[in-house]
Amino acid sequence: MEKVEGNIMREMNFDAVIIGGGVVGCAIARELSRYDLRACVVEREEDVCSGTSKANSAIVHAGHDAVPGSLKARFNVEGNRMMEELAGELDFDFKRNGSLVLCFDEKEKPGLEELYEKGCQNGVPGLSIISGDQAREMEPNVSDSVVAALYAPSGGIVCPFGLTIALAENACDNGVEFRFLTEVKGIRRAAGGYELETENRRNGERAVMTAKYVVNAAGVYADAFHNMVSAGKIHITARKGEYCLLDKEAGGHVSHTIFQLPGKMGKGVLVTPTVHGNLLTGPTATDVEDKEAVDTTAKGLGEVMSKAVIGVKDVPFRLVITSFAGLRAHEDSDDFVIGEAADAPGFFDAAGIESPGLTSAPAIGRYVAELVAEKSGALPKAGWNGRRTGIVRPNELDKEARAALIRENPAYGTIVCRCEGVSEGEIEDAVNRTLGATSLDGIKRRVRQGMGRCQAGFCTPRTMEILARSRGMEMEEICKNAPGSEMVTGRK
């Protein structure tokens, strides 16, 4: 690096810089890694999957809700079709469990039929409208007041952490660089592309990155970056959704994802199993001015609980183990904003990515990467490897395989997180592998340490010891997530 003015340093050039390390940014990075380009992901947090991508419904939507002809409809259905093959390639958890949209009144049936027609126009396979009795045969805990339901067998559930991390690891293994704790402060056009002024959130150092192409996948902040370079302004509202997560004891309460007929503020409260065996309910939909407002409220969680039981009987909320909130990036057009900005050549948006953004991410990634490759004339990269192997989970192996693994590495026989059965070996792998975890939240998202019934009440000290040893850190340096969230302040 060279100093350009004051204490601002100039970074080396990139062909493409992706702003944002969420699921969409990482999907674009993975697809760009197919091409002979020098690409970099810039993320303001300490890890990928630290914003909207970590706090959502974890649903792979079938695609019957989006307006036909919209970008949401196109990329939802395409992303749904891609998910199964992608899970096989990248080794993350995905299950096609199917979904039901419940109707509670004969007068509301036209709304259900409208969803059916929209789904058919969007190309959703296997849709059918079933009776309330048929819905209860499929799901015994569905409300007695249900008179009909839309059944979508292509609906699914996924681990959003697993998907995002797998995309990022595979992108990195194929040459994409990642810069964490790096916040983009400004973008300006320059000869041959763009200059991005960045600030390191750990030490405050400023730098200028140059890129021929910029991809804007910055979630709730995507409007700010778009508006820095384009006269065609966009506006994103942060829409908060609150959730309750229930213990695995409640995980079998339903087997499908259960929706209610959507209203003007979204799809309403759902009840769904997760790929890890829990039960999830939510979200609410509240527009907020603060784009960091991920607090939960008594009102919001009360709404989740009261609405969930309208569609599903006897939801055992006594088994709630945690609650959380996420922010959806709602653009005023009520659709995704994807593609090259009309008056900013080389600046590509992936903005306004709210629901069904998680489902759509693989398809958005492929589409945007192809736009950048076509614009740049980049050729496919020789030796690109689209496969990635996830972290070994000893408690999912049979007895013989697990014994063999422990003989090879005894750390896999030492259980650190009792609730989730996570071993020391898994935590070490989470820290030491490609783009390994540097924080407690990073470990949690990779191996579920601390996600169980006690919510890290017992396993945190031992996990901190493993992280400190593996990273060569002092205990005082270990953070829950980004700097400022240190777990301890000193020693006696």
Side-chain angles (χ1 to χ4, degrees), residues 78-299:
E78 288 182 12
N80 180 293
R81 289 173 181 160
M82 295 172 67
M83 199 66 71
E84 200 154 12
E85 182 178 357
L86 192 64
E89 292 173 349
L90 298 182
D91 195 16
F92 59 85
D93 291 312
F94 165 69
K95 182 180 180 182
R96 206 173 286 286
N97 67 321
S99 63
L100 293 168
V101 182
L102 305 181
C103 174
F104 303 97
D105 191 312
E106 293 289 342
K107 295 179 181 178
E108 294 178 349
K109 275 190 176 180
L112 207 63
E113 292 164 358
E114 181 182 349
L115 276 185
Y116 172 81
E117 293 298 331
K118 285 164 65 176
C120 291
Q121 291 180 58
N122 292 343
V124 179
L127 284 177
S128 62
I129 293 179
I130 62 176
S131 69
D133 288 339
Q134 288 173 311
R136 281 180 286 274
E137 286 178 15
M138 296 173 67
E139 287 289 353
N141 285 319
V142 160
S143 170
D144 294 337
S145 62
V146 172
V147 298
L150 178 66
Y151 173 49
S154 64
I157 50 179
V158 69
C159 175
F161 323 125
L163 169 59
T164 307
I165 291 166
L167 290 164
E169 287 183 7
N170 191 235
C172 186
D173 285 339
N174 282 291
V176 176
E177 298 182 37
F178 283 75
R179 304 288 176 87
F180 295 113
L181 294 174
T182 301
E183 184 169 2
V184 177
K185 292 292 191 179
I187 307 174
R188 56 184 174 269
R189 296 194 209 183
Y194 294 86
E195 291 183 343
L196 294 83
E197 186 174 337
T198 66
E199 181 178 88
N200 185 301
R201 293 182 64 200
R202 188 180 296 280
N203 56 29
E205 289 184 356
R206 293 207 168 212
V208 173
M209 305 175 72
T210 60
K212 297 176 184 175
Y213 310 100
V214 173
V215 178
N216 175 23
V220 293
Y221 293 101
D223 55 348
F225 297 120
H226 172 96
N227 295 341
M228 288 177 186
V229 299
S230 175
K233 305 304 183 185
I234 65 174
H235 177 257
I236 288 174
T237 300
R239 182 163 289 173
K240 182 164 72 170
E242 299 180 52
Y243 296 85
C244 292
L245 182 71
L246 281 67
D247 187 73
K248 290 182 178 180
E249 185 179 331
H253 198 70
V254 295
S255 59
H256 298 78
T257 299
I258 310 298
F259 297 103
Q260 300 166 24
L261 271 173
K264 64 179 181 178
M265 291 296 283
K267 297 180 177 65
V269 167
L270 60 83
V271 180
T272 185
T274 72
V275 291
H276 301 294
N278 298 86
L279 191 72
L280 180 68
T281 63
T284 55
T286 306
D287 290 348
V288 295
E289 293 186 9
D290 182 2
K291 293 187 177 184
E292 300 292 329
V294 291
D295 56 311
T296 57
T297 64
K299 179 181 178 182

Side-chain angles (χ1 to χ4, degrees), residues 47 93 159 161-162 165 169 248 276 388 390-396 412 416-433 436-437 439-452 459 463 466:
D47 197 5
D93 291 312
C159 175
F161 323 125
I165 291 166
E169 287 183 7
K248 290 182 178 180
H276 301 294
R388 167 260 191 192
I391 294 171
V392 175
R393 302 171 185 170
N395 62 356
E396 295 183 2
Y412 286 104
V416 176
C417 173
R418 289 176 282 177
C419 297
E420 292 290 321
V422 180
S423 68
E424 181 176 353
E426 291 164 88
I427 295 173
E428 289 176 342
D429 191 358
V431 174
N432 295 323
R433 65 193 286 111
S439 66
L440 292 181
D441 281 357
I443 294 171
K444 177 189 291 188
R445 288 192 286 269
R446 284 163 176 79
V447 294
R448 295 186 58 77
Q449 170 272 327
M451 282 195 176
C459 54
T463 303
I466 297 169

